[in-house]
């Protein structure tokens, strides 16, 4: 955990007096839970006593002081859901995951919680996984839901959105394709490039969906590191000269099949990207 | 000055005075539990209820938090107030029947029986300790945590923190008094003050650097003999 991260979050909400909840939300979004040290840092930076912050953090169900899993699964046990057999669904989920409500599976994949009402009583019983609502759930559907969550629920969403589309890119120097057909991200072939920073050298896989930023990499790359990109075929350095409009780091150009150039920012974590299709007949 | 009527007596008090302060000043007794001079009023115990207004609009309010209003008619011991007060005492008694303070209150208000299941809780959530810690000791070491039936008072993460000076003020004001004493775990203890309640202090040395507000401390008395 970095002191700077917390300081940055606190700085952002400095002006509103009721900003404590926003601060805690931001901290939880970053670490998926509220670590003890983070709360102490928030107390230090805001000048509010730790008891107050701890009181708020333990008051709201939304905040968790224990590490959470990759997927958050909430089963509604409100009155309307209850009479439609929500307890048996909760039991079925607990059985399939092997954890009780409020616990996280040992593989850190799922955190299972029960909630008192989600405000969508007509659709009950309801199970919410990572923000996706499943209505009229039967105990027999639990397995299906868990399976879908494991595969990633956002994948389907990206396909439906017409603003998100896959690109097929190649190296601007040797024109070899950078697509990796053996490894899929978001359901499409990933873009595989070689990167280096400091003494580290390894591969990086990007999602080929324009506008999406999930990436996997060989080495752990700290946030805000400026990377050097290389073509895995001709080993030419890809970092260009034009600066990123968001952070000023060098942009990395790649050829788009069918014409045009896509540029991505070389700073890890920066979402700066430009798609230039000038002179292309679509 | 604000003019109001307390139990039929016309009185005038300064602006900002609470009904409790006014009534006590003019000699009408109102029992309290979570109220203490020098600490901000909190209205948690509901023992200080009084009836205000007239006819069908009359209602019960906690006098410690209700400021005096012009022309207000206050009754501190009407049948409705006494009934509500007795119920509060009965509920408090069910929560912590071992508390001397609550037993005395019950006896003083002629509560002779208690119809609820006894819980033997070690806290009635009156918040006196947290207010003492914050307002008099300026430490802010303990406070409320959680909510609903899991609401509790204590230090964050259940460990003694740097701001706690082991002053024992929380134990001193606690009406149930065995609150945050963790006799068996000295490293977590905030004060050894009520080590007398469980097994008598036989390893008193462990608590040497803690101040004791228990007068007289039963445990020490036993040891002397």
């Amino acid at each position: 955990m970095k002191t700077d991260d917390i300081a940055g979050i606190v700085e952002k909400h400095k002006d509103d007096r009721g900003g404590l909840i926003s601060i805690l939300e931001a901290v939880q979004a970053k670490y998926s839970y509220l670590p003890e040290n983070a709360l102490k840092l928030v107390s230090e930076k805001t000048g509010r006593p730790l008891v107050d912050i701890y009181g708020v953090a333990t008051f709201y169900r939304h905040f968790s002081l224990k590490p959470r899993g990759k997927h958050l699964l909430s089963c509604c046990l409100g009155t309307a859901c209850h009479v439609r057999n929500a307890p048996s669904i909760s039991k079925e989920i607990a059985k399939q995951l092997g954890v009780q409500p409020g616990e996280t599976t040992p593989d850190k994949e799922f955190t299972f919680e029960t909630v008192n009402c989600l405000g969508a009583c007509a659709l009950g019983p309801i199970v919410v996984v990572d923000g996706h609502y499943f209505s009229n759930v039967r105990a027999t559907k639990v397995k299906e839901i868990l399976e879908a969550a494991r595969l990633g629920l956002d994948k389907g969403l990206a396909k439906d959105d017409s603003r998100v589309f896959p690109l097929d890119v190649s190296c601007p120097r040797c024109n070899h394709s950078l697509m990796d057909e053996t490894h899929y991200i978001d359901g499409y072939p990933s873009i595989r490039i070689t990167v280096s920073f400091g003494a580290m050298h390894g591969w990086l896989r990007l999602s080929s969906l324009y506008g999406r930023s999930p990436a996997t990499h060989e080495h752990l790359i700290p946030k805000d590191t400026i990377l050097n990109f290389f073509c895995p075929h001709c080993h030419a350095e890809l970092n260009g000269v034009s600066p990123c409009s968001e952070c000023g780091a060098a942009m990395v150009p790649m050829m788009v099949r069918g014409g045009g150039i896509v540029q991505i920012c070389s700073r890890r974590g920066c979402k700066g990207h430009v798609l230039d299709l000038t002179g292309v007949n679509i | 000055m604000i003019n109001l009527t307390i139990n039929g007596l016309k009185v005038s008090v300064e602006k900002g005075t609470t009904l409790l302060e006014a009534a006590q000043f003019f000699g009408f007794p109102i029992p309290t539990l979570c109220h203490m001079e020098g600490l901000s009023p909190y209205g948690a115990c509901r023992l200080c209820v009084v009836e205000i207004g007239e006819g069908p609009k009359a209602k019960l309010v906690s006098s410690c938090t209700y400021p005096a209003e012009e022309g207000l008619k206050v009754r501190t011991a009407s049948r409705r107030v006494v009934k509500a007060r007795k119920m509060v005492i009965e509920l408090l008694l069910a929560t912590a029947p071992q508390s001397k303070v609550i037993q005395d209150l019950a006896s003083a208000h002629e509560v002779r029986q208690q119809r609820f299941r006894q819980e033997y809780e070690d806290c009635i959530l009156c918040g006196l300790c947290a207010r003492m810690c914050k307002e008099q000791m300026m430490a802010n070491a303990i406070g409320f945590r959680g909510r609903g039936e899991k609401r509790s008072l204590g230090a964050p993460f259940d460990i003694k923190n740097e701001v706690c000076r082991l002053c024992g003020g929380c134990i001193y004001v606690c009406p149930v008094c065995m609150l945050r004493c963790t006799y068996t775990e000295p490293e977590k203890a905030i004060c050894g003050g009520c080590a007398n309640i469980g097994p008598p202090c036989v390893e008193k040395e462990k608590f040497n650097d803690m101040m004791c507000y228990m007068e007289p401390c039963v445990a020490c008395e036993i040891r002397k003999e």
Side-chain angles (χ1 to χ4, degrees):
Chain A
M1 189 190 344
K2 271 201 214 147
T3 316
D4 302 353
D5 293 347
I6 308 281
I9 291 169
V10 172
E11 186 66 24
K12 216 182 264 173
H13 300 281
K14 192 176 61 168
D15 298 326
D16 45 348
R17 252 185 62 70
L20 181 57
I21 290 177
S22 311
I23 293 171
L24 294 181
E25 270 176 347
V27 173
Q28 174 146 317
K30 200 166 181 71
Y31 302 104
S32 89
Y33 76 112
L34 297 174
E36 187 176 333
N37 287 335
L39 289 190
K40 283 183 180 154
L41 278 171
V42 170
S43 155
E44 223 170 84
K45 302 282 174 208
T46 55
R48 302 178 71 145
L50 181 63
V51 266
D52 288 3
I53 290 157
Y54 187 79
V56 171
T58 53
F59 184 86
Y60 293 103
R61 280 287 289 266
H62 173 70
F63 297 125
S64 169
L65 294 174
K66 279 188 284 182
R68 276 177 166 169
K70 217 161 113 191
H71 307 288
L72 177 64
L73 197 143
S74 337
C75 178
C76 181
L77 289 185
T79 315
C81 290
H82 187 97
V83 294
R84 294 187 195 172
N85 225 0
S88 79
I89 290 157
S90 163
K91 235 179 251 163
E92 179 65 22
I93 296 170
K95 198 179 120 198
Q96 295 221 2
L97 292 177
V99 292
Q100 289 308 306
E103 292 176 357
T104 304
T105 52
D107 60 0
K108 299 267 180 286
E109 277 292 313
F110 286 98
T111 295
F112 174 37
E113 278 180 353
T114 58
V115 290
N116 290 331
C117 188
L118 290 160
C121 304
L123 302 174
I126 294 180
V127 171
V128 180
V129 187
D130 299 337
H132 294 261
Y133 283 64
F134 292 88
S135 56
N136 292 313
V137 178
R138 304 272 165 273
T140 45
K141 267 173 77 183
V142 168
K143 196 168 183 188
E144 216 175 286
I145 293 171
L146 293 181
E147 212 49 55
R150 275 201 187 94
L151 287 171
L153 286 160
D154 290 323
K155 190 167 68 183
L157 200 75
K159 265 184 194 159
D160 298 338
D161 193 339
S162 61
R163 288 169 302 177
V164 178
F165 49 91
L167 291 175
D168 194 336
V169 297
S170 55
C171 168
R173 303 285 155 90
C174 65
N175 212 14
H176 272 92
S177 173
L178 296 171
M179 307 310 291
D180 185 356
E181 302 284 345
T182 59
H183 198 279
Y184 280 61
I185 294 181
D186 285 339
Y188 290 96
S190 58
I191 301 169
R192 185 175 186 274
I193 10 183
T194 319
V195 292
S196 73
F197 63 99
M200 305 294 263
H201 195 80
W203 53 259
L204 173 78
R205 282 198 177 92
L206 298 164
S207 167
S208 63
L209 291 180
Y210 183 71
R212 299 268 303 156
S213 53
T216 54
H217 25 81
E218 195 175 342
H219 303 293
L220 191 69
I221 306 175
K223 205 169 170 281
D224 293 337
T225 316
I226 296 178
L227 300 166
N228 290 314
F229 286 71
F230 298 95
C231 169
H233 306 289
C234 64
H235 305 292
E237 184 166 358
L238 298 180
N239 289 35
V241 282
S242 54
C244 170
S245 58
E246 309 251 328
C247 69
M251 297 291 272
V252 180
M254 284 179 282
M255 304 288 285
V256 179
R257 175 165 296 178
I261 287 175
V262 63
Q263 301 205 59
I264 59 164
C265 179
S266 60
R267 190 190 295 273
R268 166 104 182 103
C270 175
K271 301 259 193 298
H273 55 267
V274 174
L275 179 62
D276 185 5
L277 297 176
T278 330
V280 178
N281 299 318
I282 302 173
Chain B
M1 296 299 268
I2 290 167
N3 301 306
L4 69 159
T5 321
I6 304 179
N7 293 350
L9 181 73
K10 285 199 173 85
V11 298
S12 58
V13 292
E14 259 177 62
K15 199 173 176 229
T17 317
T18 63
L19 292 186
L20 178 72
E21 284 161 352
Q24 282 180 341
F25 181 78
F26 290 103
F28 299 110
I30 295 177
T32 57
L33 189 60
C34 75
H35 180 263
M36 180 174 267
E37 236 169 89
L39 300 182
S40 58
Y42 192 59
C45 71
R46 315 313 285 183
L47 209 57
C48 64
V49 283
V50 293
E51 197 177 6
I52 58 166
E54 277 176 310
K57 279 196 167 175
K59 58 176 182 178
L60 294 176
V61 296
S62 61
S63 60
C64 66
T65 54
Y66 203 94
E69 281 171 7
E70 185 67 38
L72 199 67
K73 292 202 164 60
V74 185
R75 288 176 297 285
T76 66
S78 66
R79 192 175 294 163
R80 192 176 168 197
V81 167
V82 171
K83 200 178 159 203
R85 209 170 271 162
K86 276 192 171 178
M87 177 57 106
V88 169
I89 294 176
E90 220 175 302
L91 288 165
L92 284 171
L93 204 53
T95 316
Q98 76 282 16
S99 159
K100 180 79 168 62
V101 178
I102 297 171
Q103 286 170 9
D104 287 350
L105 270 170
S107 145
H109 290 82
E110 302 190 335
V111 176
R112 295 282 176 259
Q113 57 156 350
Q114 185 265 104
R115 293 162 289 176
F116 307 103
R117 189 161 50 95
Q118 298 199 333
E119 297 284 359
Y120 298 100
E121 293 287 337
D122 53 10
C123 181
I124 55 168
L125 299 173
C126 66
L128 267 177
C129 50
R131 277 177 289 149
M132 183 74 171
C133 192
K134 184 180 179 184
E135 292 165 22
Q136 289 295 330
M137 298 307 173
M138 311 294 168
N140 258 325
I142 54 173
F144 281 105
R145 312 170 298 183
R147 68 164 163 181
E149 57 170 4
K150 291 205 182 89
R151 196 162 186 240
S152 67
L153 271 153
F157 305 105
D158 258 332
I159 43 169
K160 193 187 96 58
N161 45 23
E162 306 91 75
V163 283
C164 174
R165 304 188 300 270
L166 300 172
C167 71
C170 47
I171 300 296
Y172 178 66
V173 293
C174 181
V176 186
C177 197
M178 41 202 295
L179 197 48
R180 268 149 301 286
C181 172
T182 43
Y183 169 63
T184 47
E185 294 163 275
E187 67 279 359
K188 283 189 183 176
I190 285 173
C191 166
C194 47
N196 51 356
I197 285 165
C201 287
V202 275
E203 298 152 66
K204 188 78 176 151
E205 290 74 28
K206 277 190 195 172
F207 300 98
N208 271 350
D209 54 345
M210 292 180 192
M211 277 182 262
C212 184
Y213 273 89
M214 302 298 279
E215 277 299 334
C217 171
V218 185
C220 300
E221 295 291 310
I222 291 171
R223 232 181 148 205
K224 244 184 265 170
E225 281 163 18

